[in-house]
């Protein structure tokens, strides 16, 4: 059986790359662009014709991965032609802290419909940095980063080790968008720092944000923090020839001067 998309990519679904998820993305997700609109429609058509769902899923994922790769390569070529944007250039820890404090103060003042301050921070970061045409997150803001290696903050990324004894921590990826962080709210056995900051296409910093409590004090350390999981993630994600990934923490009450408009101390 050969499955061809309306885009003319036309690759054969010859093997199952991985065990396919039970949920069919062409029904559960919203297309992010014209390519996916056509891809989703073709997948639904094939399913209506009685084609095996696993084969459709394998073909569907292959088409998506190839398109994402082509799109990323085109974006890289475009960046070499145009001047680098300020928001994707060299970012210092001081700048990152100042921005996180700015957003933290906004959420302290008004967290909207969110139950926690961190959920408010996550939504604001997604709105600032994520792709507005990439689908919507259930908790507000766009769903995915601009690309697999886009610089900037990524709220609530989960990290997990593989099954091998010597495996290292790595970001948990979306099942339907390889290379992109999973948006699942909880991944069993996977530590989830509040903010992961990408710089020059790779993880640079892990941030934990501690907000003041209504009855006094601040949020306590998570089990992952107490167990040293974030330091282990930082070590596993550090790359040769680059600065080591750093683990940082913000005590919003002490580190952020919210009375003066969110400057970081």
């Amino acid at each position: 059986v050969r499955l061809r998309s309306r885009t003319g990519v036309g690759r054969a679904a010859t093997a199952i790359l991985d065990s396919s998820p039970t949920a069919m993305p062409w029904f559960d997700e919203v297309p992010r662009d014209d390519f996916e609109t056509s891809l989703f429609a073709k997948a639904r058509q094939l399913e209506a014709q009685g084609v095996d769902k696993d084969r459709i899923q394998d073909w569907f994922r292959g088409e998506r991965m190839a398109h994402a790769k082509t799109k990323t390569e085109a974006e890289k070529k475009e960046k070499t032609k145009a001047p680098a944007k300020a928001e994707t250039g060299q970012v210092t820890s001081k700048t990152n802290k100042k921005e996180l404090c700015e957003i933290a103060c906004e959420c302290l003042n008004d967290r909207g419909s969110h139950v926690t301050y961190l959920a408010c921070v996550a939504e604001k970061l997604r709105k600032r940095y994520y792709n507005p045409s990439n689908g919507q997150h259930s908790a507000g803001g766009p769903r995915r980063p601009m690309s697999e290696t886009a610089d900037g903050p990524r709220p609530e990324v989960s990290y997990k080790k593989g099954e091998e004894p010597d495996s290292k921590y790595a970001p948990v990826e979306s099942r339907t968008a390889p290379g992109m962080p999973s948006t699942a709210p909880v991944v069993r056995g996977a530590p989830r720092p509040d903010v992961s900051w990408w710089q020059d296409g790779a993880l640079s910093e892990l941030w934990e944000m501690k907000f003041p409590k209504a009855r006094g004090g601040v949020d306590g350390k998570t089990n992952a923090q107490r167990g040293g999981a974030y330091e282990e993630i930082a070590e596993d994600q550090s790359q040769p020839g680059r600065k080591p990934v750093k683990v940082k923490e913000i005590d919003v009450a002490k580190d952020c001067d919210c009375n003066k408009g969110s400057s970081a101390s």
Side-chain angles (χ1 to χ4, degrees):
V1 178
R2 292 186 64 85
L3 305 177
R4 296 184 178 275
S5 72
R6 295 179 181 178
T7 61
V9 179
R11 284 175 300 278
T14 57
I16 303 299
L17 299 178
D18 291 303
S19 58
S20 301
T22 56
M24 299 295 105
W26 50 89
F27 281 111
D28 293 347
E29 296 183 21
V30 177
R32 296 173 290 187
D33 51 30
D34 291 340
F35 167 83
E36 287 200 349
T37 298
S38 296
L39 185 65
F40 281 33
K42 182 64 177 180
R44 289 193 291 269
Q45 179 184 353
L46 291 170
E47 188 170 0
Q49 293 172 355
V51 178
D52 182 77
K53 289 183 179 180
D54 282 346
R55 303 204 66 175
I56 300 174
Q57 179 79 314
D58 183 48
W59 163 80
F60 183 94
R61 291 173 64 192
E63 293 287 303
R64 240 185 180 180
M65 290 174 67
H67 177 69
K69 182 178 180 181
T70 301
K71 185 176 180 181
T72 299
E73 290 174 349
E75 289 174 349
K76 288 180 179 179
K77 290 181 180 178
E78 193 63 29
K79 285 182 179 179
T80 60
K81 297 179 183 178
K85 295 182 179 180
E87 62 267 25
T88 58
Q90 188 72 11
V91 182
T92 65
S93 298
K94 183 177 181 181
T95 301
N96 296 353
K97 182 177 180 180
K98 183 175 182 179
E99 182 166 7
L100 291 176
C101 272
E102 173 187 295
I103 295 175
C105 290
E106 291 176 3
C107 290
L108 269 180
N109 181 55
D110 180 11
R111 67 187 182 198
S113 61
H114 294 291
V115 176
T116 67
Y117 294 123
L118 285 172
C120 171
V121 169
E123 179 185 10
K124 289 181 181 291
L125 288 174
R126 287 192 293 267
K127 285 182 175 179
R128 287 191 183 192
Y129 286 90
Y130 278 22
N131 190 345
S133 61
N134 201 250
Q136 291 296 301
H137 194 284
S138 59
R143 189 177 187 187
R144 305 289 186 201
M146 290 292 185
S147 72
E148 291 89 340
T149 57
D151 286 357
R154 301 185 181 189
E156 301 178 325
V157 173
S158 298
Y159 296 84
K160 194 172 184 179
K161 292 184 176 183
E163 300 298 328
E164 298 298 324
D166 59 346
S167 62
K168 297 183 177 181
Y169 275 111
V172 178
E173 296 184 3
S174 165
R175 286 185 174 185
T176 55
M180 294 291 187
S182 169
T183 57
V186 177
V187 178
R188 187 174 181 180
R192 193 177 192 180
D194 294 333
V195 179
S196 298
W197 207 292
W198 252 244
Q199 181 179 329
D200 298 328
L203 180 64
S204 173
E205 296 170 352
L206 297 174
W207 288 89
E208 274 291 305
M209 303 180 71
K210 304 302 181 184
F211 285 86
K213 294 182 178 181
R215 296 183 180 180
V218 296
D219 296 328
K221 291 186 179 297
T222 65
N223 290 335
Q225 277 185 292
R226 287 192 291 268
Y230 296 162
E231 283 76 14
E232 191 172 351
I233 293 170
E235 182 178 353
D236 288 350
Q237 284 290 297
S238 293
Q239 300 180 12
R242 298 173 61 108
K243 291 182 179 180
V245 176
K246 296 181 179 179
V247 179
K248 297 174 176 290
E249 181 175 299
I250 291 179
D251 181 330
V252 176
K254 292 181 179 179
D255 299 333
C256 307
D257 192 351
C258 295
N259 293 326
K260 292 185 179 181
S262 75
S263 62
S265 59

